[in-house]
Amino acid sequence: MGNVAVVGAQWGDEGKGKIVDWLSERADLVVRFQGGHNAGHTLVVDDVTYKLSLLPSGVVRGTPSIIGNGVVIDPWALMAEIESLRQQGIGVSTQTLSIADNAALILPLHGELDGFREESSGSRLGTTRRGIGPAYEDKVARRSLRVCDLENVADLERSVNTMLVHHDALRRGHGQVPIQRQKLIDDLMKLAPEILPYAKPVWRQLISAWRRGDRILFEGAQGAMLDVDHGTYPFVTSSNTLPGQISVGSGIPAAAVSYVLGIAKAYTTRVGEGPFPTELYDDVGSTLGERGREFGTVTGRRRRCGWFDAVMVRQAAKIGGINGIALTKLDVLDGLESLKICVSYRAGSDDFDYVPSVTSVQAALEPVYETMEGWSGNTCNARCQEELPDAAISYIRRIEELIEVPVALISTSPERKDTILVQDPFED
């Protein structure tokens, strides 16, 4: 019995929330290791919908959860999320939530800078304008404000002063007024007593859990193709979304991860800007969006929809060391007469069996499709493979062949109980 990492194998929004929730009931600890509140998870438990952005999915079921140092934290957004759950009857205490004391903070000035850049840029990246990128920039440049800085006003003031030398200059370049230094400090000191009780050197907690043999579930945000190094750059997020980030983003040895579960929809979606070879602009694309309720949890933006891209998922599986795939939203394909799977790309006279790195080539990629028979039967709410139509089984088998990874779980509705277990990640 080992520890499991759950990561997106497409462009995010693959349904990780439900799968993590399904697995968290059997985990002793759930850990977030990268990203910020720009990525949302929607959980449906007993017909109640919970929308999370920063909090690990385990908190809904009372499973002890950790926000690792690789996450950038908007403290106001975090406390608002905790309060929102409280109003839904879910209490979040220092017994169920720990926050890395060395995690970097997202401040209002980061979100504002995100907006200034998006408005003035000649090529928009489609960010959520929540300050994720600027916060990671400050972290790398060693001018971040961290959770532990809230413990001492002198440390806080010193960190704020260092940060504002840079940010006030940037704001002047965008024609904006300087930051109100004292107000920012006062606001942070007011918030400090609320967030500091959760702050700990979480790496010690993780190492102890690992040595005890506890089951640890690592919860990724976004998806492999949004990874800042391996994604469709520059239309990516500002962190590494692959499982390799787990060690540095939480403080546990890489050897602690024994099974990587990649999440992929039975079709493909993307929110925001960037290349999307299999995108559909016809009635089928609209149908997928309507049936799949393809709107961002955090932003509410409509997601672009297209056919399943086996080239992309295979690449995500290889670079991410994915052991098995959880295939979600299979039921959205019910009733379609035929289905297409992208098996390669073509750009001009060149063929590709991988996602090339050059931005202009990515934009020119055209999918080469393989067509399969659809099914008229109903997969919604199926809980065992025997309940699936033969054509649906054939579709799954073909996907496995093309991505070179077995399908370990199949999700047939947003409800956690509508999950078919083929291969148990915790027992593999």
Side-chain angles (χ1 to χ4, degrees):
M1 291 183 289
N3 303 318
V4 177
V6 175
V7 296
Q10 295 165 315
W11 279 298
D13 307 308
E14 301 96 345
K16 292 183 292 295
K18 171 189 168 173
I19 301 302
V20 170
D21 175 54
W22 190 85
L23 291 169
S24 67
E25 192 172 46
R26 302 166 59 219
D28 299 303
L29 194 60
V30 181
V31 184
R32 273 283 307 273
F33 57 88
Q34 52 77 219
H37 65 309
N38 55 334
H41 291 332
T42 300
L43 284 65
V44 180
V45 182
D46 298 327
D47 296 324
V48 179
T49 299
Y50 302 94
K51 295 187 176 183
L52 307 179
S53 297
L54 266 173
L55 292 172
S57 299
V59 297
V60 172
R61 297 200 173 273
T63 304
S65 301
I66 287 176
I67 298 177
N69 58 278
V71 179
V72 285
I73 301 171
D74 181 323
W76 293 277
L78 176 61
M79 301 315 298
E81 195 170 321
I82 290 174
E83 173 60 21
S84 177
L85 280 185
R86 188 193 66 79
Q87 293 180 7
Q88 289 187 281
I90 303 294
V92 179
S93 70
T94 55
Q95 301 304 307
T96 57
L97 178 66
S98 299
I99 300 172
D101 57 1
N102 57 338
L105 294 177
I106 301 175
L107 305 180
L109 59 87
H110 292 124
E112 292 173 2
L113 179 58
D114 234 352
F116 300 154
R117 286 173 170 171
E118 281 286 286
E119 291 299 327
S120 63
S121 174
S123 177
R124 295 189 180 184
L125 299 178
T127 75
T128 58
R129 305 189 184 204
R130 280 165 169 72
I132 311 299
Y136 273 117
E137 288 177 35
D138 280 349
K139 178 178 179 178
V140 173
R142 295 163 293 182
R143 55 173 172 263
S144 273
L145 192 69
R146 300 185 299 166
V147 174
C148 57
D149 291 329
L150 299 178
E151 296 179 0
N152 181 285
V153 66
D155 290 338
L156 176 61
E157 289 179 341
R158 183 166 51 251
S159 295
V160 168
N161 289 340
T162 299
M163 182 179 287
L164 292 193
V165 169
H166 174 77
H167 278 273
D168 280 345
L170 284 179
R171 293 173 71 90
R172 284 194 296 273
H174 285 282
Q176 304 296 323
V177 298
I179 297 294
Q180 297 181 43
R181 174 186 173 279
Q182 193 56 49
K183 181 179 185 306
L184 176 59
I185 292 172
D186 291 344
D187 289 345
L188 287 166
M189 290 305 298
K190 181 179 179 181
L191 186 70
E194 297 181 49
I195 193 170
L196 283 177
Y198 299 99
K200 303 170 185 175
V202 299
W203 64 269
R204 299 183 61 182
Q205 183 179 348
L206 272 169
I207 295 295
S208 295
W210 180 39
R211 289 178 174 171
R212 283 195 306 269
D214 290 352
R215 287 176 166 178
I216 306 173
L217 183 61
F218 297 96
E219 175 182 6
Q222 290 101 13
M225 289 298 112
L226 290 176
D227 185 277
V228 69
D229 287 301
H230 295 280
T232 49
Y233 191 91
F235 302 99
V236 293
T237 192
S238 299
S239 63
N240 289 108
T241 61
L242 294 173
Q245 174 64 19
I246 290 173
S247 181
V248 294
S250 64
I252 196 168
V257 181
S258 54
Y259 190 101
V260 178
L261 180 67
I263 316 298
K265 284 177 182 168
Y267 50 101
T268 309
T269 63
R270 176 164 201 168
V271 66
E273 307 298 324
F276 187 170
T278 67
E279 185 170 8
L280 294 170
Y281 303 93
D282 56 10
D283 291 342
V284 175
S286 298
T287 297
L288 295 176
E290 292 168 6
R291 288 185 184 176
R293 300 175 185 175
E294 297 296 352
F295 296 91
T297 301
V298 172
T299 63
R301 290 185 293 180
R302 180 183 292 274
R303 298 182 187 125
R304 301 151 65 188
C305 298
W307 294 118
F308 187 87
D309 189 335
V311 181
M312 179 175 70
V313 177
R314 180 174 62 241
Q315 182 164 322
K318 289 183 182 298
I319 62 179
I322 291 175
N323 301 105
I325 287 287
L327 194 67
T328 65
K329 294 198 172 183
L330 182 67
D331 55 300
V332 173
L333 302 180
D334 288 355
L336 296 180
E337 291 185 7
S338 63
L339 306 171
K340 293 183 179 181
I341 301 176
C342 176
V343 296
S344 66
Y345 305 129
R346 185 168 293 127
S349 59
D350 297 322
D351 293 323
F352 296 90
D353 62 355
Y354 66 97
V355 181
S357 298
V358 179
T359 303
S360 59
V361 177
Q362 289 178 358
L365 293 176
E366 295 182 0
V368 176
Y369 286 121
E370 182 176 295
T371 301
M372 297 192 68
E373 179 185 356
W375 54 87
S376 57
N378 186 23
T379 67
C380 187
N381 307 124
R383 297 178 191 175
C384 64
Q385 292 189 78
E386 290 73 20
E387 295 178 1
L388 299 177
D390 289 343
I393 293 291
S394 297
Y395 182 70
I396 294 168
R397 294 291 173 264
R398 185 55 180 149
I399 284 176
E400 289 179 317
E401 292 172 357
L402 290 167
I403 66 174
E404 302 174 16
V405 172
V407 170
L409 289 91
I410 304 167
S411 174
T412 58
S413 94
E415 287 285 348
R416 74 188 304 272
K417 58 188 176 182
D418 295 330
T419 305
I420 300 171
L421 178 63
V422 181
Q423 180 186 79
D424 191 334
F426 277 121
E427 302 290 345
D428 185 75

